[in-house]
Amino acid sequence: MSALDRLGRHLLFSFDAEAAHGMSIKALRCGLPVGGRAPRDARLNVKVAGLDFPNPLGMAAGYDKNAEVPDALLSLGFGFAEIGTVTPLPQAGNPKPRIFRLVEDDAVINRLGFNNEGHDACEKRLAARFGRPGIVGVNIGANKDSTNRITDYVKGVKRLARYASYLTVNISSPNTPGLRNMQAREQLAELLVAVMIARAEAGQPVPIFLKIAPDLHEAELEDIAGEVTEKGIDGVIVSNTTITRPALRSPTHTGETGGLSGKPLFQRSTAVLARMRKLLGPQRAIIGVGGVDSTETALEKIRAGADLVQLYTGMIYAGPSLPARIVRGMADFAGREGLKSISELRDTRLDQWAARPL
């Protein structure tokens, strides 16, 4: 970390985690912090689902829930940014406090519950940046009290597809009761059919990704892969936060309910990623998320089968210069190894990761 990053972390960590998050959004809106320069290196270009990514590192959904700072995030060095999760109607989310830092583990537990300003506010901001360069994905969800969650996803597709580089169907948050049940095959099939019909009716051939949980068993992964393939979904994002609690060192907050993200999620999420690559085959896109906090962890996701990677919690601990540092590290690695494309690295440790126990 740079001295500026260390100072920023010390300042933000003096505040409640959610207050600090809000402060960081405001800082980005004002043009701060400056994260450093990421190289534009042709060897890092990746073409996925018809989109040309300048580098394979993205900001995961959950940080910029209301599409307030996607362009500022891109300026930090990210090759793409994903906003949301956004629901049709505004909702406050779960009671506070609901974000907990596990500092000794470089981890976070959150139970936010899709707190966001809804489609209207999101659409207004996305429309204001319409036509600007940069890949910005939109992560869509369902309201907690919705009487028909599939209809909520359909609304998201029809309302936001025209502004999105890609759409992510998020059915994997542990913080909306019953949402993860939509990963079961029968419900998933119904949802994916509805989403694909909505995309066709919207007249926007935007790629569709499905975001899944890391807490799935082999048979469940097989069912998801089968439905994704059958329904023609463009790719899968592996994974959301985990409700499991691996061995943690932090003395406080480890018993809080919610989803765990950060360094402890890396092993499990990467093993699930590799299994999903095996099930989907080489052609369908996969974005790897969970525990990415360095060049090496980002590269390891690619070795395990990811085309692209995302981070969020890693930047909480390593600071806003992290994306540029990771991208520089990727470019340096490609140069040392004589790679023509970073994509040559994909699947080189697929078998090893797929064999790891969940």
Side-chain angles (χ1 to χ4, degrees), residues 267-302:
Q267 296 291 327
R268 184 179 185 94
S269 63
T270 309
V272 172
L273 157 64
R275 284 167 167 79
M276 187 55 67
R277 172 58 72 200
K278 287 269 194 179
L279 292 166
L280 290 176
Q283 299 305 317
R284 211 164 299 272
I286 296 180
I287 302 177
V289 198
V292 174
D293 60 2
S294 64
T295 297
E296 184 53 36
T297 50
L299 293 175
E300 197 64 15
K301 291 281 189 187
I302 298 172

PDB file of all heavy atoms in Angstrom, residues 267-302:
ATOM      1  N   GLN A 267     -10.585 -19.581  -1.470  1.00  0.00           N
ATOM      2  CA  GLN A 267     -10.430 -21.008  -1.767  1.00  0.00           C
ATOM      3  C   GLN A 267     -11.738 -21.629  -2.253  1.00  0.00           C
ATOM      4  O   GLN A 267     -11.774 -22.301  -3.289  1.00  0.00           O
ATOM      5  CB  GLN A 267      -9.919 -21.748  -0.520  1.00  0.00           C
ATOM      6  CG  GLN A 267      -8.541 -21.324  -0.063  1.00  0.00           C
ATOM      7  CD  GLN A 267      -7.439 -21.741  -1.018  1.00  0.00           C
ATOM      8  OE1 GLN A 267      -7.515 -22.789  -1.667  1.00  0.00           O
ATOM      9  NE2 GLN A 267      -6.399 -20.935  -1.118  1.00  0.00           N
ATOM     10  N   ARG A 268     -12.802 -21.415  -1.509  1.00  0.00           N
ATOM     11  CA  ARG A 268     -14.072 -22.051  -1.873  1.00  0.00           C
ATOM     12  C   ARG A 268     -14.620 -21.504  -3.193  1.00  0.00           C
ATOM     13  O   ARG A 268     -15.050 -22.262  -4.072  1.00  0.00           O
ATOM     14  CB  ARG A 268     -15.106 -21.856  -0.757  1.00  0.00           C
ATOM     15  CG  ARG A 268     -16.417 -22.595  -1.042  1.00  0.00           C
ATOM     16  CD  ARG A 268     -17.449 -22.434   0.050  1.00  0.00           C
ATOM     17  NE  ARG A 268     -18.608 -23.258  -0.239  1.00  0.00           N
ATOM     18  CZ  ARG A 268     -18.782 -24.494   0.219  1.00  0.00           C
ATOM     19  NH1 ARG A 268     -17.859 -25.027   0.999  1.00  0.00           N
ATOM     20  NH2 ARG A 268     -19.856 -25.195  -0.105  1.00  0.00           N
ATOM     21  N   SER A 269     -14.600 -20.190  -3.342  1.00  0.00           N
ATOM     22  CA  SER A 269     -15.165 -19.611  -4.562  1.00  0.00           C
ATOM     23  C   SER A 269     -14.372 -20.037  -5.796  1.00  0.00           C
ATOM     24  O   SER A 269     -14.948 -20.244  -6.874  1.00  0.00           O
ATOM     25  CB  SER A 269     -15.209 -18.086  -4.450  1.00  0.00           C
ATOM     26  OG  SER A 269     -13.909 -17.532  -4.340  1.00  0.00           O
ATOM     27  N   THR A 270     -13.068 -20.204  -5.653  1.00  0.00           N
ATOM     28  CA  THR A 270     -12.248 -20.603  -6.793  1.00  0.00           C
ATOM     29  C   THR A 270     -12.460 -22.074  -7.138  1.00  0.00           C
ATOM     30  O   THR A 270     -12.465 -22.450  -8.322  1.00  0.00           O
ATOM     31  CB  THR A 270     -10.765 -20.300  -6.516  1.00  0.00           C
ATOM     32  OG1 THR A 270     -10.629 -18.938  -6.089  1.00  0.00           O
ATOM     33  CG2 THR A 270      -9.920 -20.501  -7.760  1.00  0.00           C
ATOM     34  N   ALA A 271     -12.666 -22.899  -6.133  1.00  0.00           N
ATOM     35  CA  ALA A 271     -12.973 -24.311  -6.393  1.00  0.00           C
ATOM     36  C   ALA A 271     -14.320 -24.453  -7.091  1.00  0.00           C
ATOM     37  O   ALA A 271     -14.477 -25.275  -8.014  1.00  0.00           O
ATOM     38  CB  ALA A 271     -12.959 -25.098  -5.085  1.00  0.00           C
ATOM     39  N   VAL A 272     -15.312 -23.664  -6.674  1.00  0.00           N
ATOM     40  CA  VAL A 272     -16.625 -23.700  -7.326  1.00  0.00           C
ATOM     41  C   VAL A 272     -16.505 -23.194  -8.759  1.00  0.00           C
ATOM     42  O   VAL A 272     -17.116 -23.747  -9.686  1.00  0.00           O
ATOM     43  CB  VAL A 272     -17.650 -22.872  -6.527  1.00  0.00           C
ATOM     44  CG1 VAL A 272     -18.969 -22.747  -7.290  1.00  0.00           C
ATOM     45  CG2 VAL A 272     -17.902 -23.511  -5.163  1.00  0.00           C
ATOM     46  N   LEU A 273     -15.705 -22.149  -8.954  1.00  0.00           N
ATOM     47  CA  LEU A 273     -15.454 -21.622 -10.296  1.00  0.00           C
ATOM     48  C   LEU A 273     -14.914 -22.713 -11.215  1.00  0.00           C
ATOM     49  O   LEU A 273     -15.383 -22.888 -12.355  1.00  0.00           O
ATOM     50  CB  LEU A 273     -14.466 -20.461 -10.177  1.00  0.00           C
ATOM     51  CG  LEU A 273     -13.623 -20.056 -11.396  1.00  0.00           C
ATOM     52  CD1 LEU A 273     -14.499 -19.544 -12.508  1.00  0.00           C
ATOM     53  CD2 LEU A 273     -12.586 -19.025 -10.999  1.00  0.00           C
ATOM     54  N   ALA A 274     -13.927 -23.447 -10.758  1.00  0.00           N
ATOM     55  CA  ALA A 274     -13.331 -24.491 -11.597  1.00  0.00           C
ATOM     56  C   ALA A 274     -14.340 -25.582 -11.924  1.00  0.00           C
ATOM     57  O   ALA A 274     -14.392 -26.075 -13.059  1.00  0.00           O
ATOM     58  CB  ALA A 274     -12.109 -25.089 -10.898  1.00  0.00           C
ATOM     59  N   ARG A 275     -15.150 -25.961 -10.952  1.00  0.00           N
ATOM     60  CA  ARG A 275     -16.186 -26.963 -11.219  1.00  0.00           C
ATOM     61  C   ARG A 275     -17.178 -26.456 -12.261  1.00  0.00           C
ATOM     62  O   ARG A 275     -17.612 -27.204 -13.149  1.00  0.00           O
ATOM     63  CB  ARG A 275     -16.923 -27.320  -9.925  1.00  0.00           C
ATOM     64  CG  ARG A 275     -16.137 -28.239  -9.004  1.00  0.00           C
ATOM     65  CD  ARG A 275     -16.780 -28.289  -7.631  1.00  0.00           C
ATOM     66  NE  ARG A 275     -16.264 -29.375  -6.804  1.00  0.00           N
ATOM     67  CZ  ARG A 275     -15.121 -29.358  -6.157  1.00  0.00           C
ATOM     68  NH1 ARG A 275     -14.340 -28.296  -6.258  1.00  0.00           N
ATOM     69  NH2 ARG A 275     -14.729 -30.377  -5.420  1.00  0.00           N
ATOM     70  N   MET A 276     -17.539 -25.185 -12.151  1.00  0.00           N
ATOM     71  CA  MET A 276     -18.474 -24.630 -13.125  1.00  0.00           C
ATOM     72  C   MET A 276     -17.859 -24.584 -14.514  1.00  0.00           C
ATOM     73  O   MET A 276     -18.531 -24.833 -15.517  1.00  0.00           O
ATOM     74  CB  MET A 276     -18.928 -23.243 -12.664  1.00  0.00           C
ATOM     75  CG  MET A 276     -20.034 -22.629 -13.507  1.00  0.00           C
ATOM     76  SD  MET A 276     -21.527 -23.663 -13.684  1.00  0.00           S
ATOM     77  CE  MET A 276     -22.139 -23.669 -11.994  1.00  0.00           C
ATOM     78  N   ARG A 277     -16.564 -24.272 -14.601  1.00  0.00           N
ATOM     79  CA  ARG A 277     -15.903 -24.310 -15.912  1.00  0.00           C
ATOM     80  C   ARG A 277     -15.944 -25.711 -16.506  1.00  0.00           C
ATOM     81  O   ARG A 277     -16.212 -25.878 -17.712  1.00  0.00           O
ATOM     82  CB  ARG A 277     -14.449 -23.820 -15.782  1.00  0.00           C
ATOM     83  CG  ARG A 277     -13.601 -24.000 -17.039  1.00  0.00           C
ATOM     84  CD  ARG A 277     -14.196 -23.294 -18.233  1.00  0.00           C
ATOM     85  NE  ARG A 277     -14.077 -21.851 -18.139  1.00  0.00           N
ATOM     86  CZ  ARG A 277     -14.822 -20.995 -18.835  1.00  0.00           C
ATOM     87  NH1 ARG A 277     -15.751 -21.455 -19.684  1.00  0.00           N
ATOM     88  NH2 ARG A 277     -14.677 -19.686 -18.707  1.00  0.00           N
ATOM     89  N   LYS A 278     -15.690 -26.698 -15.692  1.00  0.00           N
ATOM     90  CA  LYS A 278     -15.753 -28.085 -16.176  1.00  0.00           C
ATOM     91  C   LYS A 278     -17.146 -28.414 -16.712  1.00  0.00           C
ATOM     92  O   LYS A 278     -17.301 -29.095 -17.730  1.00  0.00           O
ATOM     93  CB  LYS A 278     -15.416 -29.045 -15.031  1.00  0.00           C
ATOM     94  CG  LYS A 278     -13.958 -29.067 -14.632  1.00  0.00           C
ATOM     95  CD  LYS A 278     -13.214 -30.141 -15.414  1.00  0.00           C
ATOM     96  CE  LYS A 278     -11.866 -30.417 -14.798  1.00  0.00           C
ATOM     97  NZ  LYS A 278     -11.140 -31.488 -15.527  1.00  0.00           N
ATOM     98  N   LEU A 279     -18.181 -27.935 -16.007  1.00  0.00           N
ATOM     99  CA  LEU A 279     -19.554 -28.250 -16.379  1.00  0.00           C
ATOM    100  C   LEU A 279     -20.009 -27.467 -17.611  1.00  0.00           C
ATOM    101  O   LEU A 279     -20.746 -27.994 -18.447  1.00  0.00           O
ATOM    102  CB  LEU A 279     -20.495 -27.953 -15.210  1.00  0.00           C
ATOM    103  CG  LEU A 279     -20.351 -28.865 -13.991  1.00  0.00           C
ATOM    104  CD1 LEU A 279     -21.062 -28.276 -12.784  1.00  0.00           C
ATOM    105  CD2 LEU A 279     -20.904 -30.265 -14.307  1.00  0.00           C
ATOM    106  N   LEU A 280     -19.570 -26.230 -17.739  1.00  0.00           N
ATOM    107  CA  LEU A 280     -20.020 -25.381 -18.842  1.00  0.00           C
ATOM    108  C   LEU A 280     -19.210 -25.580 -20.111  1.00  0.00           C
ATOM    109  O   LEU A 280     -19.671 -25.239 -21.206  1.00  0.00           O
ATOM    110  CB  LEU A 280     -19.949 -23.906 -18.435  1.00  0.00           C
ATOM    111  CG  LEU A 280     -20.955 -23.426 -17.393  1.00  0.00           C
ATOM    112  CD1 LEU A 280     -20.670 -21.973 -17.034  1.00  0.00           C
ATOM    113  CD2 LEU A 280     -22.385 -23.580 -17.899  1.00  0.00           C
ATOM    114  N   GLY A 281     -17.988 -26.099 -19.990  1.00  0.00           N
ATOM    115  CA  GLY A 281     -17.129 -26.230 -21.153  1.00  0.00           C
ATOM    116  C   GLY A 281     -16.363 -24.951 -21.422  1.00  0.00           C
ATOM    117  O   GLY A 281     -16.481 -23.965 -20.694  1.00  0.00           O
ATOM    118  N   PRO A 282     -15.563 -24.942 -22.473  1.00  0.00           N
ATOM    119  CA  PRO A 282     -14.614 -23.845 -22.680  1.00  0.00           C
ATOM    120  C   PRO A 282     -15.200 -22.563 -23.257  1.00  0.00           C
ATOM    121  O   PRO A 282     -14.561 -21.512 -23.186  1.00  0.00           O
ATOM    122  CB  PRO A 282     -13.598 -24.451 -23.650  1.00  0.00           C
ATOM    123  CG  PRO A 282     -14.390 -25.472 -24.411  1.00  0.00           C
ATOM    124  CD  PRO A 282     -15.370 -26.037 -23.432  1.00  0.00           C
ATOM    125  N   GLN A 283     -16.393 -22.616 -23.838  1.00  0.00           N
ATOM    126  CA  GLN A 283     -16.876 -21.474 -24.608  1.00  0.00           C
ATOM    127  C   GLN A 283     -17.654 -20.448 -23.795  1.00  0.00           C
ATOM    128  O   GLN A 283     -17.550 -19.254 -24.044  1.00  0.00           O
ATOM    129  CB  GLN A 283     -17.761 -21.964 -25.767  1.00  0.00           C
ATOM    130  CG  GLN A 283     -17.047 -22.868 -26.752  1.00  0.00           C
ATOM    131  CD  GLN A 283     -15.779 -22.228 -27.320  1.00  0.00           C
ATOM    132  OE1 GLN A 283     -15.768 -21.050 -27.672  1.00  0.00           O
ATOM    133  NE2 GLN A 283     -14.706 -23.007 -27.396  1.00  0.00           N
ATOM    134  N   ARG A 284     -18.416 -20.882 -22.805  1.00  0.00           N
ATOM    135  CA  ARG A 284     -19.269 -19.937 -22.083  1.00  0.00           C
ATOM    136  C   ARG A 284     -18.450 -19.117 -21.097  1.00  0.00           C
ATOM    137  O   ARG A 284     -17.505 -19.605 -20.492  1.00  0.00           O
ATOM    138  CB  ARG A 284     -20.405 -20.677 -21.363  1.00  0.00           C
ATOM    139  CG  ARG A 284     -21.673 -19.828 -21.242  1.00  0.00           C
ATOM    140  CD  ARG A 284     -22.870 -20.701 -20.903  1.00  0.00           C
ATOM    141  NE  ARG A 284     -23.106 -21.688 -21.942  1.00  0.00           N
ATOM    142  CZ  ARG A 284     -23.870 -21.472 -23.013  1.00  0.00           C
ATOM    143  NH1 ARG A 284     -24.457 -20.307 -23.169  1.00  0.00           N
ATOM    144  NH2 ARG A 284     -24.052 -22.419 -23.897  1.00  0.00           N
ATOM    145  N   ALA A 285     -18.830 -17.860 -20.928  1.00  0.00           N
ATOM    146  CA  ALA A 285     -18.046 -16.928 -20.116  1.00  0.00           C
ATOM    147  C   ALA A 285     -18.223 -17.179 -18.626  1.00  0.00           C
ATOM    148  O   ALA A 285     -19.319 -17.533 -18.171  1.00  0.00           O
ATOM    149  CB  ALA A 285     -18.449 -15.492 -20.440  1.00  0.00           C
ATOM    150  N   ILE A 286     -17.147 -16.981 -17.874  1.00  0.00           N
ATOM    151  CA  ILE A 286     -17.198 -17.048 -16.412  1.00  0.00           C
ATOM    152  C   ILE A 286     -16.427 -15.855 -15.848  1.00  0.00           C
ATOM    153  O   ILE A 286     -15.306 -15.565 -16.277  1.00  0.00           O
ATOM    154  CB  ILE A 286     -16.614 -18.356 -15.859  1.00  0.00           C
ATOM    155  CG1 ILE A 286     -17.442 -19.565 -16.300  1.00  0.00           C
ATOM    156  CG2 ILE A 286     -16.552 -18.302 -14.328  1.00  0.00           C
ATOM    157  CD1 ILE A 286     -16.925 -20.898 -15.782  1.00  0.00           C
ATOM    158  N   ILE A 287     -17.042 -15.181 -14.893  1.00  0.00           N
ATOM    159  CA  ILE A 287     -16.378 -14.124 -14.130  1.00  0.00           C
ATOM    160  C   ILE A 287     -16.119 -14.665 -12.732  1.00  0.00           C
ATOM    161  O   ILE A 287     -17.038 -15.139 -12.066  1.00  0.00           O
ATOM    162  CB  ILE A 287     -17.231 -12.845 -14.053  1.00  0.00           C
ATOM    163  CG1 ILE A 287     -17.547 -12.323 -15.466  1.00  0.00           C
ATOM    164  CG2 ILE A 287     -16.521 -11.772 -13.223  1.00  0.00           C
ATOM    165  CD1 ILE A 287     -18.449 -11.097 -15.483  1.00  0.00           C
ATOM    166  N   GLY A 288     -14.869 -14.605 -12.292  1.00  0.00           N
ATOM    167  CA  GLY A 288     -14.487 -15.125 -10.987  1.00  0.00           C
ATOM    168  C   GLY A 288     -14.422 -14.014  -9.946  1.00  0.00           C
ATOM    169  O   GLY A 288     -13.775 -12.994 -10.161  1.00  0.00           O
ATOM    170  N   VAL A 289     -15.112 -14.216  -8.825  1.00  0.00           N
ATOM    171  CA  VAL A 289     -15.158 -13.235  -7.737  1.00  0.00           C
ATOM    172  C   VAL A 289     -14.956 -13.969  -6.411  1.00  0.00           C
ATOM    173  O   VAL A 289     -15.418 -15.095  -6.250  1.00  0.00           O
ATOM    174  CB  VAL A 289     -16.517 -12.511  -7.677  1.00  0.00           C
ATOM    175  CG1 VAL A 289     -16.403 -11.223  -6.872  1.00  0.00           C
ATOM    176  CG2 VAL A 289     -17.087 -12.258  -9.047  1.00  0.00           C
ATOM    177  N   GLY A 290     -14.319 -13.295  -5.474  1.00  0.00           N
ATOM    178  CA  GLY A 290     -14.176 -13.858  -4.135  1.00  0.00           C
ATOM    179  C   GLY A 290     -12.732 -13.943  -3.705  1.00  0.00           C
ATOM    180  O   GLY A 290     -11.990 -14.810  -4.174  1.00  0.00           O
ATOM    181  N   GLY A 291     -12.298 -13.011  -2.854  1.00  0.00           N
ATOM    182  CA  GLY A 291     -10.957 -13.054  -2.311  1.00  0.00           C
ATOM    183  C   GLY A 291      -9.873 -12.496  -3.198  1.00  0.00           C
ATOM    184  O   GLY A 291      -8.682 -12.680  -2.917  1.00  0.00           O
ATOM    185  N   VAL A 292     -10.226 -11.802  -4.262  1.00  0.00           N
ATOM    186  CA  VAL A 292      -9.211 -11.205  -5.137  1.00  0.00           C
ATOM    187  C   VAL A 292      -8.682  -9.942  -4.466  1.00  0.00           C
ATOM    188  O   VAL A 292      -9.418  -8.991  -4.225  1.00  0.00           O
ATOM    189  CB  VAL A 292      -9.794 -10.868  -6.520  1.00  0.00           C
ATOM    190  CG1 VAL A 292      -8.762 -10.116  -7.361  1.00  0.00           C
ATOM    191  CG2 VAL A 292     -10.236 -12.145  -7.234  1.00  0.00           C
ATOM    192  N   ASP A 293      -7.380  -9.940  -4.144  1.00  0.00           N
ATOM    193  CA  ASP A 293      -6.780  -8.789  -3.466  1.00  0.00           C
ATOM    194  C   ASP A 293      -5.349  -8.521  -3.914  1.00  0.00           C
ATOM    195  O   ASP A 293      -4.622  -7.764  -3.291  1.00  0.00           O
ATOM    196  CB  ASP A 293      -6.818  -8.988  -1.949  1.00  0.00           C
ATOM    197  CG  ASP A 293      -6.071 -10.228  -1.482  1.00  0.00           C
ATOM    198  OD1 ASP A 293      -5.469 -10.932  -2.333  1.00  0.00           O
ATOM    199  OD2 ASP A 293      -6.084 -10.514  -0.275  1.00  0.00           O
ATOM    200  N   SER A 294      -4.939  -9.158  -5.020  1.00  0.00           N
ATOM    201  CA  SER A 294      -3.568  -9.013  -5.505  1.00  0.00           C
ATOM    202  C   SER A 294      -3.503  -9.495  -6.952  1.00  0.00           C
ATOM    203  O   SER A 294      -4.435 -10.138  -7.451  1.00  0.00           O
ATOM    204  CB  SER A 294      -2.609  -9.860  -4.661  1.00  0.00           C
ATOM    205  OG  SER A 294      -2.922 -11.248  -4.809  1.00  0.00           O
ATOM    206  N   THR A 295      -2.386  -9.200  -7.596  1.00  0.00           N
ATOM    207  CA  THR A 295      -2.189  -9.727  -8.949  1.00  0.00           C
ATOM    208  C   THR A 295      -2.246 -11.246  -8.940  1.00  0.00           C
ATOM    209  O   THR A 295      -2.879 -11.865  -9.800  1.00  0.00           O
ATOM    210  CB  THR A 295      -0.840  -9.253  -9.520  1.00  0.00           C
ATOM    211  OG1 THR A 295      -0.856  -7.826  -9.642  1.00  0.00           O
ATOM    212  CG2 THR A 295      -0.578  -9.863 -10.882  1.00  0.00           C
ATOM    213  N   GLU A 296      -1.602 -11.874  -7.964  1.00  0.00           N
ATOM    214  CA  GLU A 296      -1.532 -13.332  -7.947  1.00  0.00           C
ATOM    215  C   GLU A 296      -2.906 -13.965  -7.775  1.00  0.00           C
ATOM    216  O   GLU A 296      -3.223 -14.962  -8.437  1.00  0.00           O
ATOM    217  CB  GLU A 296      -0.578 -13.809  -6.847  1.00  0.00           C
ATOM    218  CG  GLU A 296      -0.376 -15.326  -6.841  1.00  0.00           C
ATOM    219  CD  GLU A 296       0.047 -15.910  -8.182  1.00  0.00           C
ATOM    220  OE1 GLU A 296       0.812 -15.261  -8.924  1.00  0.00           O
ATOM    221  OE2 GLU A 296      -0.407 -17.021  -8.497  1.00  0.00           O
ATOM    222  N   THR A 297      -3.731 -13.425  -6.880  1.00  0.00           N
ATOM    223  CA  THR A 297      -5.072 -14.020  -6.707  1.00  0.00           C
ATOM    224  C   THR A 297      -5.926 -13.799  -7.947  1.00  0.00           C
ATOM    225  O   THR A 297      -6.725 -14.664  -8.318  1.00  0.00           O
ATOM    226  CB  THR A 297      -5.775 -13.468  -5.455  1.00  0.00           C
ATOM    227  OG1 THR A 297      -5.704 -12.032  -5.463  1.00  0.00           O
ATOM    228  CG2 THR A 297      -5.151 -14.007  -4.187  1.00  0.00           C
ATOM    229  N   ALA A 298      -5.759 -12.656  -8.606  1.00  0.00           N
ATOM    230  CA  ALA A 298      -6.497 -12.426  -9.848  1.00  0.00           C
ATOM    231  C   ALA A 298      -6.060 -13.414 -10.929  1.00  0.00           C
ATOM    232  O   ALA A 298      -6.889 -14.011 -11.629  1.00  0.00           O
ATOM    233  CB  ALA A 298      -6.285 -10.991 -10.326  1.00  0.00           C
ATOM    234  N   LEU A 299      -4.746 -13.611 -11.057  1.00  0.00           N
ATOM    235  CA  LEU A 299      -4.250 -14.562 -12.047  1.00  0.00           C
ATOM    236  C   LEU A 299      -4.676 -15.984 -11.727  1.00  0.00           C
ATOM    237  O   LEU A 299      -4.976 -16.777 -12.636  1.00  0.00           O
ATOM    238  CB  LEU A 299      -2.724 -14.484 -12.120  1.00  0.00           C
ATOM    239  CG  LEU A 299      -2.130 -13.181 -12.665  1.00  0.00           C
ATOM    240  CD1 LEU A 299      -0.617 -13.211 -12.547  1.00  0.00           C
ATOM    241  CD2 LEU A 299      -2.552 -12.934 -14.110  1.00  0.00           C
ATOM    242  N   GLU A 300      -4.758 -16.311 -10.446  1.00  0.00           N
ATOM    243  CA  GLU A 300      -5.144 -17.680 -10.077  1.00  0.00           C
ATOM    244  C   GLU A 300      -6.595 -17.964 -10.436  1.00  0.00           C
ATOM    245  O   GLU A 300      -6.938 -19.094 -10.807  1.00  0.00           O
ATOM    246  CB  GLU A 300      -4.894 -17.910  -8.584  1.00  0.00           C
ATOM    247  CG  GLU A 300      -4.863 -19.367  -8.184  1.00  0.00           C
ATOM    248  CD  GLU A 300      -3.711 -20.154  -8.818  1.00  0.00           C
ATOM    249  OE1 GLU A 300      -2.752 -19.540  -9.349  1.00  0.00           O
ATOM    250  OE2 GLU A 300      -3.779 -21.407  -8.780  1.00  0.00           O
ATOM    251  N   LYS A 301      -7.454 -16.955 -10.338  1.00  0.00           N
ATOM    252  CA  LYS A 301      -8.842 -17.132 -10.802  1.00  0.00           C
ATOM    253  C   LYS A 301      -8.865 -17.479 -12.291  1.00  0.00           C
ATOM    254  O   LYS A 301      -9.633 -18.340 -12.727  1.00  0.00           O
ATOM    255  CB  LYS A 301      -9.648 -15.850 -10.569  1.00  0.00           C
ATOM    256  CG  LYS A 301      -9.933 -15.510  -9.123  1.00  0.00           C
ATOM    257  CD  LYS A 301     -11.075 -16.312  -8.533  1.00  0.00           C
ATOM    258  CE  LYS A 301     -11.444 -15.771  -7.165  1.00  0.00           C
ATOM    259  NZ  LYS A 301     -12.446 -16.611  -6.472  1.00  0.00           N
ATOM    260  N   ILE A 302      -8.009 -16.812 -13.058  1.00  0.00           N
ATOM    261  CA  ILE A 302      -7.953 -17.093 -14.497  1.00  0.00           C
ATOM    262  C   ILE A 302      -7.401 -18.493 -14.730  1.00  0.00           C
ATOM    263  O   ILE A 302      -7.927 -19.257 -15.555  1.00  0.00           O
ATOM    264  CB  ILE A 302      -7.107 -16.027 -15.210  1.00  0.00           C
ATOM    265  CG1 ILE A 302      -7.756 -14.648 -15.049  1.00  0.00           C
ATOM    266  CG2 ILE A 302      -6.930 -16.370 -16.691  1.00  0.00           C
ATOM    267  CD1 ILE A 302      -6.911 -13.496 -15.553  1.00  0.00           C
TER     268      ILE A 302
END
